[in-house]
Amino acid sequence: MAQPLDADRLAEHLQRPGNQLAPLYTVSGDEPLLVTEAVDTLRAAARNAGYTDRLSMVMDARSDWSSVTAATQSVSLFGDRRILEIKIPTGKPGKSGADTLTRLAEQAEKQADPDTLVLIALPRLDKATRESRWVQALSRAGMMVDIANIERGRLPAWVGMRLARQNQRADSATLQWMADKVEGNLLAAHQEIQKLGLLYPEGQLAAQDVERAVLNVARYDVFGLRDAMLAGDIGRTIRMIDGLRAEGEALPLVLWAVGEEIRLLARVAEARALGQDVNGLMRRLRIFGAHERLALQALGRVQPGVWPAAVQHAHEVDRLIKGLSVPGRLSDPWEEMTRLALRVAAAGGRP
């Protein structure tokens, strides 16, 4: 049985010239950002390898696992190779799920280059689960990717590496200050790092600029826009977008504030549908105080099915900003930005 890969070794594995993808990958970890990035990396590699179709399923012990079996046996209408993503948020598939995953692993072992590549996402597994028959079968059939948590002492270095990816640097004291402000929450750190990339040029970042960006957001009305959207205030949402556009605000920053909120609430809505601990998740996502009240108001007003469509819409707005055309969308990214915000604001909002 091969040793699990970490995130860095996974990247090396996928970038190795001439390397063939495994038929099955299992990703486990408790850091949502890092697990999502690992899954995104695998998904991109699979697309490059010709797996252009994708089917995603969220399963647990109460799910009908026969649908997974059916998905592996069905053939794409256009003959496309497929990625089958199975997310098990609880890490407990139940007996039916364990049997299905074991059979899936045995099937994958016999097919070196299958038409369906299986990608399984799990939380960090305890010792007993790691030694279970179904996990052992998954490990033998493909590759295990174990995403380790970033310990608090490593967080400043992690922030520094993430800044380096966007060709920015900060001194050690500033990195430590940022680590203190995000309190070990990688999603929050990721958001702040992205914000710095939008606000400041490449190179060395001044400590005062970092502090201003992280703490003093009053001059940026994007968070006011976010709050108006969550409150269902349609008129204010439209006025704020028009004002930001007129003032020359960077559209990527506007999309960051709105799109990131939509992605976070899509996760919360999914957790609520699965009967998970919503309050605990919102704490981990740093949704507190007035923001939490508005978020709960939006979650109560917006139908659960709206969130995944809004996440996809945000990706499409990002493509428009980058100058790419998107079928079915307006060519003006600001207009589509307005339509995106109104998907949430107009769902039971007041005019």
Side-chain angles (χ1 to χ4, degrees), residues 104-125:
L104 198 61
E106 292 169 351
Q107 177 183 327
E109 269 191 292
K110 300 172 184 175
Q111 296 177 302
D113 188 23
D115 289 331
T116 299
L117 184 148
V118 181
L119 173 55
I120 300 171
L122 297 160
R124 180 168 295 282
L125 304 177

Side-chain angles (χ1 to χ4, degrees), residues 10 13-16 18-25 41-51 81-83 108 111-114 116-118 141-143:
L10 171 65
H13 159 74
L14 296 175
Q15 293 167 5
R16 196 174 300 141
N19 194 33
Q20 183 173 315
L21 291 175
L24 185 150
Y25 288 87
T41 300
L42 282 166
R43 192 182 294 147
R47 280 198 302 268
N48 291 337
Y51 293 90
R81 305 175 91 191
R82 171 188 294 168
I83 310 168
Q111 296 177 302
D113 188 23
T116 299
L117 184 148
V118 181
M143 290 199 169

Side-chain angles (χ1 to χ4, degrees), residues 60 62 266-276 278 304:
D60 61 20
R62 299 187 299 272
R267 289 187 57 201
V268 176
E270 181 183 36
R272 174 182 280 182
L274 293 171
Q276 296 174 358
V278 170

Side-chain angles (χ1 to χ4, degrees), residues 53-331:
D53 197 10
R54 176 186 164 210
L55 177 62
S56 180
M57 309 177 79
V58 179
M59 310 296 288
D60 61 20
R62 299 187 299 272
S63 300
D64 178 9
W65 282 85
S66 65
S67 60
V68 173
T69 302
T72 61
Q73 295 173 346
S74 63
V75 179
S76 170
L77 181 63
F78 302 102
D80 295 331
R81 305 175 91 191
R82 171 188 294 168
I83 310 168
L84 173 60
E85 297 181 13
I86 305 172
K87 301 176 182 177
I88 313 174
T90 63
K92 306 294 183 184
K95 184 180 185 307
S96 176
D99 291 343
T100 301
L101 291 170
T102 301
R103 289 194 298 270
L104 198 61
E106 292 169 351
Q107 177 183 327
E109 269 191 292
K110 300 172 184 175
Q111 296 177 302
D113 188 23
D115 289 331
T116 299
L117 184 148
V118 181
L119 173 55
I120 300 171
L122 297 160
R124 180 168 295 282
L125 304 177
D126 56 35
K127 187 174 184 294
T129 305
R130 286 180 180 276
E131 295 175 353
S132 64
R133 179 169 170 261
W134 64 274
V135 172
Q136 294 292 309
L138 293 176
S139 181
R140 287 192 302 271
M143 290 199 169
M144 302 288 291
V145 183
D146 193 1
I147 306 298
N149 293 343
I150 303 297
E151 301 299 333
R152 176 61 183 80
R154 294 175 52 211
L155 188 55
W158 183 87
V159 172
M161 288 189 293
R162 290 298 174 116
L163 285 172
R165 290 186 184 182
Q166 53 198 41
N167 297 319
Q168 291 180 316
R169 303 181 306 279
D171 60 42
S172 58
T174 300
L175 295 177
Q176 184 65 54
W177 181 87
M178 285 189 67
D180 291 338
K181 292 304 172 188
V182 299
E183 299 178 1
N185 186 311
L186 293 194
L187 282 170
H190 175 67
Q191 292 167 15
E192 298 300 341
I193 292 164
Q194 284 189 317
K195 190 196 307 181
L196 292 170
L198 292 169
L199 296 177
Y200 299 114
E202 297 179 358
Q204 185 72 28
L205 294 169
Q208 59 268 32
D209 287 340
V210 173
E211 293 182 14
R212 187 180 304 116
V214 174
L215 291 179
N216 182 19
V217 296
R219 63 194 181 97
Y220 296 109
D221 288 335
V222 290
F223 290 95
L225 167 61
R226 178 201 69 187
D227 291 349
M229 176 185 74
L230 294 180
D233 193 333
I234 299 172
R236 184 165 175 246
T237 298
I238 295 173
R239 287 194 301 273
M240 295 199 72
I241 292 178
D242 288 344
L244 289 165
R245 183 175 189 175
E247 292 171 6
E249 186 59 276
L251 184 51
L253 183 62
V254 180
L255 177 61
W256 168 78
V258 171
E260 190 68 17
E261 186 68 15
I262 288 172
R263 280 187 284 272
L264 292 178
L265 293 190
R267 289 187 57 201
V268 176
E270 181 183 36
R272 174 182 280 182
L274 293 171
Q276 296 174 358
D277 179 11
V278 170
N279 290 333
L281 176 59
M282 293 182 78
R283 292 291 177 272
R284 292 194 296 275
L285 297 178
R286 295 178 61 79
I287 302 176
F288 301 110
H291 182 194
E292 179 182 12
R293 289 191 294 275
L294 287 170
L296 290 172
Q297 182 179 335
L299 287 166
R301 189 183 71 249
V302 180
Q303 292 296 316
V306 171
W307 297 108
V311 171
Q312 179 60 36
H313 196 166
H315 287 307
E316 292 169 352
V317 174
D318 181 57
R319 288 174 59 83
L320 291 172
I321 292 172
K322 294 173 180 174
L324 304 173
S325 63
V326 179
R329 298 297 178 197
L330 302 173
S331 58

